[in-house]
Amino acid sequence: MLPAERGPAVIVSRYGIRDLRIGNEFLLWDSIEDVSVRESRGCRAVVLTPTPALRQQLRCVRSRRAISPQSDTDFIVIDPAGLATDLATLLRACQACHDASERRTALQQKSRHDAQSFAVKAS
């Protein structure tokens, strides 16, 4: 959990991420294609690139909330401003969790195709 001045605002776990400042949705890492940094107007932020399926889902949610259909759903911006951490720490946490998710998914896919291999979670 990455706290803001009034309690946790961004939750990064091995399963996904939630930024309570922009919505209540918990986004699974499986629905994120890439984690990167973008600079705009001198401010840097972590940018999550959603999969096409998540993009479509976000468009539907936003259109129901009467937000302009031209809203940018191609990226999800996690701004470190107001958090009790810096951009580098936030980025490392997001990338580590996203990478771990990709490795878990690869192990699960391999175990489905190879009857002699399996994945076991560490205790």
Side-chain angles (χ1 to χ4, degrees):
M1 291 187 173
L2 302 173
E5 294 175 6
R6 297 182 181 206
V10 176
I11 301 162
V12 180
S13 76
R14 64 185 194 161
Y15 301 108
I17 184 168
R18 174 188 279 170
D19 187 345
L20 296 172
R21 300 170 301 170
I22 59 174
N24 198 31
E25 293 84 10
F26 185 79
L27 305 174
L28 298 175
W29 290 120
D30 294 346
S31 64
I32 303 297
E33 288 181 350
D34 188 40
V35 177
S36 60
V37 173
R38 177 183 279 181
E39 187 168 346
S40 177
R41 298 180 199 149
C43 297
R44 295 177 59 183
V46 173
V47 175
L48 308 176
T49 305
T51 60
L54 179 58
R55 274 189 212 122
Q56 182 62 33
Q57 184 179 359
L58 292 173
R59 283 186 190 111
C60 292
V61 168
R62 288 182 178 170
S63 66
R64 277 189 248 136
R65 290 182 183 166
I67 295 176
S68 169
Q70 289 81 20
S71 293
D72 185 17
T73 56
D74 292 337
F75 301 102
I76 300 161
V77 178
I78 310 294
D79 188 358
L83 297 176
T85 190
D86 61 354
L87 175 76
T89 303
L90 176 61
L91 179 62
R92 274 194 309 271
C94 290
Q95 286 177 330
C97 291
H98 183 258
D99 292 346
S101 172
E102 286 180 341
R103 285 191 298 274
R104 277 194 311 276
T105 302
L107 282 173
Q108 290 168 353
Q109 288 175 352
K110 184 177 178 184
S111 68
R112 287 185 197 137
H113 299 294
D114 183 5
Q116 297 189 9
S117 65
F118 61 95
V120 179
K121 292 182 181 177
S123 57

